[in-house]
Amino acid sequence: MTIKNICCIGAGYVGGPTMAVIAQKCPHIKVTVVDVNEHRINAWNSANVEDLPIYEPGLAEVVQEARGRNLFFSTNVDQAIDEAEMIFISVNTPTKTYGAGKGMAADLKYIELCARQIAKVAKSDKIVVEKSTLPVRTASAIKEILTNTGNGVRYQILSNPEFLAEGTAVADLFHPDRVLIGGDTTSDGQKAVQALVEIYANWVPTEKILTTNLWSSELSKLTANAFLAQRVSSINALSELCEKTGADVNEVAQAIGLDSRIGPKFLKASVGFGGSCFQKDILNLVYIAKSYGLEEVASYWEQVIIMNDHQKRRFAKNIISTLYNTVASKKIAFLGWAFKKDTNDTRESAAIYVADDLLNEQAAIAVYDPKVKVQQMYADLDYLESRTAVDNQKLLTAYPNPYDACQGAHAIAVLTEWDEFKSYDWQKIYEGMLKPAFVFDGRNVLDQKALEQIGFVYKAIGK
Ligand code: NAD
Ligand code: UDX
């Protein structure tokens, strides 16, 4: 079966870039990305590619090439479902905020809505692909909804989790370490798997396309994120010990990373991992383990989150205690608000939690981030409900450049590792600050010696 028409439900950080790349690499396939969020769809269609809803290096060029040729963004979900032979579900699966599993389980209401809408609209056989990250065995629930509420058409469900990381999404999609496709072991299931393999084979070497059963594929996604996050929490745990003992966490990371069994990646000590995936997916894994009565498995993975929360909190505490145990009315400049460099995404960014702790102490926070808008910063803080929206606006100000953000500040906290931070005129920044001028480097990105020579008191995670 050769696919000519694809629909993707969900035009977010995954659906948008993933489908843009499929469309660019497969000009013979029509790809329509649909979303209920009209504002987002309009932004994907904006004439100026600078106004796309997502910032990712290289994305604008891909969208520009394929959009209007075989890539379309629309709010007409029903029409796109009807026309497609293959439907990707790429909607959000956040942590539940209510009911059973609150704070842990994945909220599958958007997934179920998609399944019901597909069932209602479809008049011909469809392959439904889980692109969202889902708990193991979700495919069986989707299948049940589709077959029990549908119009008698046949469905094949595939699991095709996405491994792209934000900030490098386009490069990751162009050159994935692997593409994972899980499907039914029946002959029809395998035909559906092959149809998806054929799409990726347009640009991904076939030896990198891995096919498994559905449950292995679903569980591998949660497992991959848990392993990656666990490495960050492991090095972060050691960073605290380094600070007490005189060991340097960067040197320790380098020394262990050269062991080919360990490897160098994901060993960068930080103020804590953020992003929409790690915490949500580990909490989900913990919940699944608990629901099978596997208490030891659950508490093993839960520690990764506990360590991460501790890391964020102790960074804020360290700022407060260093600034003579009071930050009330003191200006503290934040360099970076995004959860990592090269993205405008702020979901679960460590900056939000560090800011929250400092604002509870009535600090005045001055933020500069090259890609995050001030409305987003306020929305992030308001969501925590620690203070009123009015107070958040009073206490936090965003600046269009780092020099103004740091002017008159007592301290700078580096929360994101944007490359441009390294090339600032640090002498000029120092001159504008109150003395002693502190830098708390939550990402270990600045040049300690150079800053100390200028006169800064420099403190970094794990040093
Ligand atoms: P997102 O919030 O950016 O996008 C999801 C979109 O789905 C939203 O625009 C929303 O309006 C839309 N939507 C929700 N319900 C809908 C419905 N019924 N009909 C039409 N549109 C609907 O989320 P995201 O970051 O793209 O993540 C999507 C999934 O991919 C999640 O399961 C996530 O865990 C997974 N994932 C994310 C990343 C990442 O880096 N962000 C990486 C890998 C996997
Ligand atoms: C992650 C997974 O990497 C990706 O495969 C999955 O599809 C989605 O979740 P993402 O959250 O976009 O991707 O970014 P990632 O590069 O994994 O970084 C996550 C967080 O960990 C960031 O806050 C980052 O700063 C932090 N991190 C990463 C560290 O603190 N140290 C490291 O060594 C690596």
Side-chain angles (χ1 to χ4, degrees):
M1 177 198 303
T2 301
I3 302 296
K4 295 201 182 66
N5 203 321
I6 286 176
C7 153
C8 174
I9 309 179
Y13 282 86
V14 168
T18 310
M19 292 302 129
V21 168
I22 290 184
Q24 192 214 31
K25 300 288 187 186
C26 312
H28 54 287
I29 301 178
K30 180 181 175 191
V31 180
T32 308
V33 192
V34 290
D35 204 295
V36 285
N37 182 338
E38 197 179 342
H39 179 72
R40 215 167 202 184
I41 290 297
N42 288 343
W44 280 112
N45 283 324
S46 50
N48 183 354
V49 283
E50 294 297 309
D51 295 332
L52 295 183
I54 288 167
Y55 171 71
E56 276 292 339
L59 179 62
E61 291 78 0
V62 176
V63 170
Q64 206 151 28
E65 182 184 332
R67 198 177 56 185
R69 178 188 72 187
N70 64 325
L71 174 66
F72 303 92
F73 294 93
S74 162
T75 50
N76 195 337
V77 183
D78 284 356
Q79 187 185 340
I81 291 174
D82 183 34
E83 288 176 1
E85 295 128 10
M86 183 177 270
I87 301 162
F88 287 79
I89 301 182
S90 188
V91 300
N92 37 329
T93 49
T95 303
K96 265 186 98 175
T97 53
Y98 55 88
K102 176 180 172 178
M104 294 207 105
D107 192 340
L108 299 180
K109 70 178 170 202
Y110 306 110
I111 296 286
E112 178 163 344
L113 278 172
C114 289
R116 289 189 184 277
Q117 192 157 5
I118 295 169
K120 192 180 77 189
V121 172
K123 298 194 284 287
S124 54
D125 294 355
K126 308 279 181 203
I127 298 172
V128 175
V129 185
E130 298 174 342
K131 189 46 117 175
S132 298
T133 302
L134 296 169
V136 54
R137 297 205 70 85
T138 304
S140 76
I142 294 181
K143 180 132 206 177
E144 242 178 78
I145 293 168
L146 288 173
T147 42
N148 289 324
T149 58
N151 304 320
V153 303
R154 287 177 309 163
Y155 293 98
Q156 279 301 324
I157 320 293
L158 301 180
S159 160
N160 172 221
E162 185 48 62
F163 295 100
L164 69 80
E166 290 178 27
T168 53
V170 174
D172 293 344
L173 288 163
F174 280 180
H175 307 287
D177 286 346
R178 79 309 208 179
V179 165
L180 179 58
I181 302 173
D184 260 350
T185 46
T186 58
S187 127
D188 281 350
Q190 288 307 299
K191 276 186 202 147
V193 168
Q194 280 316 310
L196 187 51
V197 168
E198 211 177 279
I199 292 172
Y200 281 109
N202 282 292
W203 78 97
V204 179
T206 41
E207 63 274 16
K208 291 198 169 187
I209 305 177
L210 192 66
T211 57
T212 65
N213 80 29
L214 270 167
W215 322 128
S216 306
S217 174
E218 288 178 335
L219 188 56
S220 294
K221 175 63 199 178
L222 293 182
T223 308
N225 275 349
F227 269 60
L228 291 169
Q230 175 260 341
R231 284 174 68 98
V232 178
S233 274
S234 295
I235 198 71
N236 281 346
L238 269 307
S239 73
E240 194 171 11
L241 190 55
C242 286
E243 289 165 28
K244 298 282 180 215
T245 56
D248 177 328
V249 76
N250 291 341
E251 292 177 352
V252 174
Q254 189 190 10
I256 65 163
L258 286 170
D259 186 325
S260 60
R261 295 166 301 175
I262 297 174
K265 294 183 182 167
F266 273 73
L267 286 180
K268 193 141 184 47
S270 68
V271 55
F273 59 73
S276 63
C277 292
F278 280 179
Q279 173 164 305
K280 161 179 84 74
D281 292 347
I282 294 177
L283 288 171
N284 189 7
L285 190 64
V286 169
Y287 182 75
I288 294 168
K290 278 192 178 161
S291 69
Y292 285 105
L294 310 179
E295 289 303 326
E296 290 79 3
V297 178
S299 57
Y300 176 79
W301 288 108
E302 200 165 14
Q303 282 303 317
V304 175
I305 303 288
I306 292 171
M307 188 62 228
N308 197 49
D309 287 339
H310 171 67
Q311 190 75 348
K312 291 182 272 189
R313 212 165 305 122
R314 84 181 183 85
F315 186 76
K317 256 193 203 156
N318 187 22
I319 295 178
I320 297 163
S321 64
T322 307
L323 297 184
Y324 318 107
N325 286 313
T326 174
V327 290
S329 305
K330 287 185 179 167
K331 183 175 180 184
I332 299 176
F334 272 32
L335 292 184
W337 189 266
F339 81 96
K340 62 185 285 199
K341 72 172 179 179
D342 293 339
T343 178
N344 60 345
D345 196 352
T346 65
R347 289 178 287 181
E348 291 301 327
S349 178
I352 303 167
Y353 297 93
V354 175
D356 188 47
D357 283 358
L358 296 177
L359 293 178
N360 282 341
E361 295 293 328
Q362 300 185 354
I365 294 186
V367 190
Y368 167 72
D369 186 291
K371 290 288 173 197
V372 179
K373 300 203 165 86
V374 66
Q375 295 88 334
Q376 186 59 51
M377 298 173 197
Y378 290 137
D380 291 337
L381 288 172
D382 293 349
Y383 185 76
L384 297 182
E385 295 182 347
S386 306
R387 284 160 304 278
T388 63
V390 173
D391 280 346
N392 285 331
Q393 294 202 14
K394 236 188 269 166
L395 292 168
L396 182 139
T397 314
Y399 288 81
N401 69 72
Y403 300 96
D404 290 342
C406 297
Q407 178 69 35
H410 289 255
I412 293 170
V414 179
L415 277 311
T416 313
E417 71 281 22
W418 288 100
D419 288 333
E420 62 173 66
F421 297 169
K422 293 180 201 154
S423 55
Y424 291 166
D425 182 345
W426 282 96
Q427 181 71 42
K428 184 173 161 194
I429 290 178
Y430 180 76
E431 281 159 15
M433 289 178 65
L434 297 176
K435 309 296 175 323
F438 296 89
V439 171
F440 297 90
D441 190 345
R443 296 288 181 169
N444 270 314
V445 284
L446 299 179
D447 184 337
Q448 172 167 10
K449 271 202 191 122
L451 291 183
E452 285 176 347
Q453 255 167 20
I454 292 172
F456 281 104
V457 181
Y458 177 84
K459 296 205 162 205
I461 295 276
K463 284 191 173 177

